[in-house]
Amino acid sequence: MKIEEKAKAKIIILHIVSDVPGITYHLLMDKCLASLTMDYFSFAECFNELLSSNLIESISETDGTGAVTADSTENLISITRGGSAVLEDIKTTLSVSTKKFLSDAKADLTAIMAQRNSIKASVEVIDDTIYAVLAINEDNMPSFKTLIRCENQEEASSLCSKWRKNAFSARDSLRASLDK
């Protein structure tokens, strides 16, 4: 990868992370690959260089208790102050077509992340009983919330993980079964 191509790839990564704070690693990677300015290996190299330069940061998702579990596989990416400063200095070098791509990417990713962030799952202990607390928030209000009593922490964490992947279909299935 040429120096100019690498610089452009890093600017695209920084720009997307700045526009969509808390984006998941996989969404970021997919959108960067869709830009057609980098392949997976170029993305991984540029991402790791930005990470090691403290221009972006990556934190692991947790099971709702703060504990990282085996199925908490998503990393959430944010830009650092240093990354924001660098981006401000260099983003004027982007071409019109790249700016258009980034504008469209911001709209797409913001919608995806809003839906993703509306899904809530956590593990709570109430009176020595372990619960998986599963919810969907819409318009800043809970539209669905339930507590499921679990035998242990692992079962609760597993339910939380499954809920994050299937929340809307699970809610709709429950609603459909109640409407019969």
Side-chain angles (χ1 to χ4, degrees):
M1 182 174 232
K2 295 179 184 176
I3 293 173
E4 299 85 23
E5 292 170 339
K6 194 172 190 178
K8 182 178 180 182
K10 287 181 180 182
I11 293 170
I12 289 172
I13 294 169
L14 283 173
H15 211 293
I16 291 173
V17 171
S18 176
D19 286 345
V20 189
I23 187 171
T24 66
Y25 174 84
H26 291 99
L27 281 174
L28 174 63
M29 178 187 66
D30 290 346
K31 192 53 79 172
C32 287
L33 297 180
S35 74
L36 302 178
T37 59
M38 62 190 101
D39 61 19
Y40 170 77
F41 298 105
S42 300
F43 167 78
E45 180 182 353
C46 292
F47 179 85
N48 287 328
E49 287 179 14
L50 291 169
L51 199 58
S52 66
S53 300
N54 294 319
L55 298 178
I56 58 174
E57 59 187 0
S58 175
I59 59 168
S60 295
E61 244 182 348
T62 68
D63 67 357
T65 65
V68 177
T69 63
D71 51 5
S72 295
T73 57
E74 289 286 2
N75 284 341
L76 306 178
I77 314 302
S78 298
I79 195 166
T80 63
R81 285 186 190 186
S84 293
V86 167
L87 182 60
E88 280 303 311
D89 289 343
I90 60 176
K91 73 179 177 181
T92 57
T93 64
L94 293 173
S95 68
V96 173
S97 62
T98 301
K99 287 179 183 177
K100 169 79 170 107
F101 170 81
L102 290 168
S103 176
D104 293 346
K106 179 180 180 179
D108 292 345
L109 293 170
T110 299
I112 292 168
M113 289 302 295
Q115 182 176 8
R116 184 183 185 282
N117 291 336
S118 70
I119 299 169
K120 305 294 179 193
S122 62
V123 177
E124 291 185 17
V125 178
I126 303 170
D127 297 327
D128 294 328
T129 304
I130 299 170
Y131 293 94
V133 181
L134 312 174
I136 298 174
N137 295 333
E138 295 173 312
D139 300 323
N140 295 322
M141 296 177 59
S143 66
F144 179 89
K145 184 174 182 179
T146 190
L147 281 80
I148 300 177
R149 185 176 55 216
C150 300
E151 293 297 318
N152 53 48
Q153 176 80 31
E154 292 78 24
E155 180 185 3
S157 293
S158 176
L159 282 175
C160 288
S161 177
K162 290 174 184 173
W163 179 254
R164 284 187 200 97
K165 294 175 185 167
N166 302 304
F168 291 102
S169 62
R171 177 202 59 190
D172 295 345
S173 293
L174 174 62
R175 186 172 282 158
S177 69
L178 294 174
D179 287 339
K180 291 182 181 179

